[in-house]
Amino acid sequence: MVRKAGASKMGDYELSDIEIKTIDDWIIENILPQKGSKKTYASFALKTLFEESPVGFFVTNKQFKEAMVRCNFAPVNKNKLNWDFRVSLKSEP
């Protein structure tokens, strides 16, 4: 099997470059870094918000974590299954 450059693969489920751009754009448009905050969001919760958004589609937790890192968000602890990120949602008050 030939993989496209930049494609993210998890088992047999591979994201296209357009899907990768859609996830990255959604993260940039909806998530803000909060360096000093103790409040965190788990990667699985953020992934679910993306999937339920108007542009959303199924992604694995691993693929979403990779997208967060691509968008310059650092996890609190990479050793956990669901990474926590110190972020807020732009739609929050």
Side-chain angles (χ1 to χ4, degrees):
M1 170 175 29
V2 176
R3 269 182 79 194
K4 288 183 179 180
S8 176
K9 185 173 180 186
M10 179 69 174
D12 291 332
Y13 185 70
E14 186 174 320
L15 296 177
S16 69
D17 291 340
I18 292 170
E19 289 171 320
I20 290 169
K21 182 176 179 346
T22 301
I23 295 169
D24 293 354
D25 288 348
W26 184 87
I27 290 170
I28 291 164
E29 292 171 11
N30 292 282
I31 299 176
L32 294 168
Q34 299 295 321
K35 295 185 190 240
S37 176
K38 292 186 180 183
K39 183 176 181 179
T40 61
Y41 280 88
S43 56
F44 194 85
L46 294 169
K47 163 192 127 55
T48 300
L49 289 173
F50 166 73
E51 290 174 343
E52 293 173 351
S53 75
V55 298
F57 50 86
F58 173 80
V59 293
T60 66
N61 192 36
K62 180 179 185 295
Q63 290 166 330
F64 194 83
K65 291 187 294 188
E66 290 171 349
M68 289 291 287
V69 170
R70 265 195 318 274
C71 293
N72 297 314
F73 289 95
V76 174
N77 181 351
K78 282 188 174 183
N79 295 322
K80 293 175 64 178
L81 175 63
N82 292 309
W83 292 354
D84 290 321
F85 292 92
R86 286 189 178 95
V87 296
S88 66
L89 303 176
K90 288 186 180 177
S91 61
E92 288 181 333

